[in-house]
Amino acid sequence: MSAAPTTRPATPERTAMTTATRSAAPSRRARLRSAAGAEARLLVRNRTAVFNSVLMPLLLVAAVPALGIGGGEVGLGPTLLTAAVVISLVYLTYYNLVTTYVARREDLVLQRMRTGELSDGEVLTATAVPTLLVTVGQLVVVTAGVVALGEWSAPVQPLLVAFGVLAGLVLMVLLAIASTGFTRTAESAQITTLPIVLVSTALSGMFFPLSALPEWLSGIARFLPVTPVVDLLHLGFSGTTWEGDPVGDVSVWTWAVFPAGVLVAWIVVGTVLARRGFRWAPRR
Amino acid sequence: MQPATAAPPTRSGEPLAVEVTDLRRSYGDFEAVRGISFEVRPGEVFALLGVNGAGKTSALEVLEGLATPGGGTVRVFGADPVRDRAAVRARMGMLLQSSGLPGDLTVAETVRTWAGTLSAPRDVDEAIAQVGLTGRADVRVRSLSGGERRRLDLALAVLGRPEVVVLDEPTTGLDPESRRQVWRLVQDMVDGGTAVVLTTHHLEEAEELADRVAILKAGRIVLSGTQEEIAETQPAVVRFTLDAGTPEPPVPAAVQVVSAGPRHEWHTRALQPVLAELLAWAAEHGVVLRYLQATAASLEQAFLAVAEGRVGDAA
Ligand SMILES: Nc1ncnc2c1ncn2[C@@H]1O[C@H](COP(=O)(O)OP(=O)(O)OP(=O)(O)O)[C@@H](O)[C@H]1O
Ligand SMILES: [Mg+2]
């Protein structure tokens, strides 16, 4: 299988087998649009899914100030935006995709989608498109909200923010694909996703600086998959380190080397796990 | 008995649509497909028969490019269905034994979506009409009956004007009328030059559609050839019942007595002379042959003989 659906660059069309009766295949993009359009329609028709993926994350973000997170060095705007990115990536991209892929696999829909001209990567991508669009939509909404509240401040280093969000998105898709391997039903996703949704997120530095933890625990926490995303967002938005202090004399780029390295390493691991763990059909 | 790879008797020289050579497939230690070979030409229907678990679906999944072979090769128009998937799929359609469709799309939406992913889709309304779902076009898939869903599946399988179609039990769960409709659809495609590989548990379906048949048992092809060739491997059956007190008929040389009196069952490869002899004897002695029945050898008989291990266990 091909396990990197969202990152596939627009490669040139593979040459279709030439026969007299056949015109050129529809473009990859047209195929994908057709399949992804149907997926979007399915999402809209499923009220539970709409609630879970559109309203829930917004409510969670809205709850952030009430929880007394942030403040101090980091202003409310960057705090809300960081929380929005993490909540969207974890609850929407990761959790939603695990559930969706597993449900489609167990319903034999994935296997059926593979019987046509869509490539394996296109099947996975089409299934993910609505989730990815909603994820991006959430971020836009929260950003607009922050601006409306007058809490917007330009990021110290926008490139780090962009890298953190995009690499985080890719990683969550890969981890979602990998997690389907040990998730037998859509319901059991509630449990199998806990390591990321609960543990990694709690220890990501989003709720409190990791320096508040015992050294051995913060040492581990810095290598968990969500942490580097939060580190990069803190550095990019407000120039604060993982310990919650201003970067000071050292450049943000120097501080960014470690989380960026951890994130890239996770993407490599995620790719391997996704390739190994994914199944197209239910286990018999 | 035919050799396992009997060459098709007609139309040789045409390019092969499907060529399967010594195909093997295992699940862990268990070998489900143990070296099968067959060929299908354009415009030809090949039926793969066998009891549950014989390995039909396991073999077809490799042909479809959904699984890699454990050994041997599969070629569709000379291309590898896994490695050259994009090229092969533009010319191939398939119906899985069991597959799912999202329940919240309507029939028309489902077909339209699928058409949008194909290089040369046929007309959506026409495709829906062809499987008798025109009146159900705006119904959500989740509300369809099992047979209606199966026909929708079939419409999708052939939507891309395939030159090769693989149908794994296309009419299971269909009513007799729908089954005939499916047969017509398949026959139309075949008339247009499509090569068809199908499995079925309805032997009359194979008799109706198939040019050639292979009977699979435990992953091996035990019998293969045209229906006539396969039937010929089996004896004809003569059955009759004699009233108490009637004399026993002489047993002709060509007969194997499977059951003697009062319900007689004879097996023979010379049905006509044996029957003539029996009837002459009955007339001569004024004997009534109750429930007299003479059945030529059939595909079904060969199928059962294979299933029960009376044929080809040495294979
Ligand atoms: N994923 C799997 N893991 C282990 N064994 C399998 C798997 N799939 C099939 N088998 C076994 O392989 C054998 C062949 O199965 P297959 O589905 O190919 O049979 P079939 O001829 O299509 O049967 P049916 O007529 O019931 O559809 C069976 O014994 C089955 O139990
Ligand atoms: Mg089967």
Side-chain angles (χ1 to χ4, degrees):
Chain A
M1 59 154 282
S2 152
T6 55
T7 54
R8 188 183 286 272
T11 50
E13 285 294 318
R14 260 188 278 177
T15 42
M17 194 183 280
T18 43
T19 62
T21 55
R22 251 157 236 289
S23 54
S27 73
R28 191 176 275 272
R29 189 174 305 201
R31 282 200 310 237
L32 201 52
R33 197 182 311 127
S34 183
E39 294 294 331
R41 191 169 289 178
L42 285 171
L43 174 76
V44 172
R45 286 183 185 170
N46 182 340
R47 255 168 240 191
T48 323
V50 169
F51 178 79
N52 279 340
S53 56
V54 178
L55 275 171
M56 267 305 272
L58 289 180
L59 290 177
L60 284 173
V61 175
V64 163
L67 293 172
I69 297 166
E73 301 295 335
V74 186
L76 180 62
T79 303
L80 282 180
L81 285 170
T82 305
V85 170
V86 171
I87 288 168
S88 299
L89 289 188
V90 172
Y91 290 89
L92 257 172
T93 315
Y94 174 71
Y95 179 74
N96 234 24
L97 278 185
V98 176
T99 320
T100 308
Y101 282 137
V102 169
R104 295 291 158 79
R105 179 189 70 201
E106 297 301 307
D107 287 346
L108 304 175
V109 170
L110 286 185
Q111 188 71 308
R112 119 124 281 146
M113 284 177 85
R114 291 183 82 212
T115 63
E117 293 183 37
L118 293 170
S119 70
D120 286 351
E122 284 166 346
V123 170
L124 291 179
T125 307
T127 308
V129 160
T131 300
L132 297 179
L133 286 182
V134 175
T135 304
V136 172
Q138 298 282 5
L139 296 182
V140 171
V141 168
V142 174
T143 307
V146 166
V147 172
L149 287 173
E151 294 289 344
W152 171 259
S153 52
V156 175
Q157 188 38 267
L159 277 179
L160 285 182
V161 174
F163 175 76
V165 172
L166 284 180
L169 197 61
V170 170
L171 176 58
M172 288 303 138
V173 172
L174 290 171
L175 291 182
I177 293 172
S179 303
T180 61
F182 47 84
T183 310
R184 285 197 75 127
T185 65
E187 288 74 39
S188 61
Q190 292 173 0
I191 294 158
T192 59
T193 55
L194 285 182
I196 304 275
V197 169
L198 212 62
V199 181
S200 182
T201 305
L203 296 178
S204 67
M206 176 186 111
F207 296 103
F208 51 85
L210 291 182
S211 52
L213 293 173
E215 206 164 307
W216 65 270
L217 190 51
S218 68
I220 295 174
R222 296 208 68 205
F223 287 96
L224 297 180
V226 186
T227 314
V229 176
V230 174
D231 284 356
L232 290 171
L233 292 176
H234 282 163
L235 287 169
F237 274 130
S238 52
T240 40
T241 71
W242 66 278
E243 292 168 303
D245 304 322
V247 287
D249 300 338
V250 192
S251 130
V252 283
W253 294 103
T254 313
W255 283 99
V257 168
F258 180 80
V262 173
L263 199 46
V264 170
W266 266 109
I267 286 175
V268 173
V269 171
T271 307
V272 173
L273 292 180
R275 277 178 186 280
R276 283 234 189 112
F278 189 78
R279 278 181 279 124
W280 288 101
R283 178 162 281 152
R284 286 184 28 176
Chain B
M1 178 178 141
Q2 301 299 309
T5 54
T10 53
R11 296 198 263 213
S12 50
E14 282 178 47
L16 290 175
V18 172
E19 187 177 10
V20 173
T21 315
D22 198 27
L23 174 66
R24 291 172 182 278
R25 183 167 179 206
S26 300
Y27 302 102
D29 289 341
F30 174 67
E31 195 171 30
V33 182
R34 310 180 175 199
I36 69 173
S37 305
F38 61 87
E39 296 172 349
V40 191
R41 285 160 213 286
E44 198 177 29
V45 180
F46 179 78
L48 202 53
L49 306 180
V51 294
N52 295 138
K56 304 179 295 294
T57 299
S58 302
L60 291 191
E61 282 174 354
V62 180
L63 174 56
E64 292 157 342
L66 296 173
T68 47
T73 55
V74 171
R75 292 287 176 272
V76 176
F77 292 115
D80 183 320
V82 173
R83 226 184 24 239
D84 314 319
R85 178 162 142 184
V88 169
R89 286 301 176 78
R91 307 175 73 177
M92 188 180 197
M94 62 195 71
L95 176 69
L96 303 182
Q97 181 171 356
S98 48
S99 69
L101 290 166
D104 283 333
L105 293 180
T106 67
V107 169
E109 286 168 345
T110 303
V111 178
R112 217 176 296 126
T113 299
W114 196 244
T117 67
L118 300 172
S119 4
R122 68 177 77 207
D123 181 70
V124 168
D125 295 330
E126 186 191 300
I128 294 174
Q130 220 176 6
V131 293
L133 289 176
T134 303
R136 310 289 282 157
D138 295 324
V139 173
R140 296 245 173 126
V141 169
R142 98 165 56 258
S143 319
L144 294 180
S145 79
E148 287 170 337
R149 199 171 305 184
R150 194 65 182 150
R151 282 183 278 151
L152 173 57
D153 257 348
L154 182 69
L156 301 184
V158 301
L159 193 62
R161 306 171 197 272
E163 295 166 66
V164 177
V165 190
V166 182
L167 306 171
D168 199 346
E169 301 193 17
T171 63
T172 297
L174 297 196
D175 61 61
E177 163 58 17
S178 306
R179 179 168 300 156
R180 257 157 245 279
Q181 194 175 35
V182 169
W183 292 352
R184 277 195 297 276
L185 188 154
V186 171
Q187 198 56 57
D188 283 351
M189 289 196 303
V190 170
D191 293 344
T194 299
V196 178
V197 179
L198 65 82
T199 72
T200 180
H201 289 298
H202 302 285
L203 296 178
E204 77 275 15
E205 184 163 299
E207 281 167 353
E208 174 77 24
L209 292 174
D211 297 303
R212 283 182 307 114
V213 172
I215 304 181
L216 206 59
K217 185 187 187 185
R220 289 195 183 88
I221 292 180
V222 177
L223 284 177
S224 79
T226 62
Q227 293 173 41
E228 293 74 22
E229 286 168 346
I230 288 187
E232 275 166 16
T233 64
Q234 298 301 307
V237 178
V238 178
R239 287 195 188 90
F240 55 92
T241 304
L242 294 180
D243 292 334
T246 10
E248 288 297 304
V251 178
V255 163
Q256 186 203 348
V257 178
V258 176
S259 140
R263 285 206 193 95
H264 293 261
E265 181 172 336
W266 290 357
H267 285 186
T268 178
R269 288 176 194 278
L271 180 58
Q272 196 178 332
V274 163
L275 204 55
E277 208 171 309
L278 177 66
L279 292 173
W281 169 83
E284 192 179 316
H285 294 84
V287 169
V288 179
L289 302 167
R290 293 195 191 284
Y291 312 115
L292 175 63
Q293 206 181 41
T295 322
S298 68
L299 185 59
E300 176 165 8
Q301 224 175 308
F303 181 89
L304 291 174
V306 170
E308 290 160 11
R310 284 182 274 122
V311 183
D313 262 356

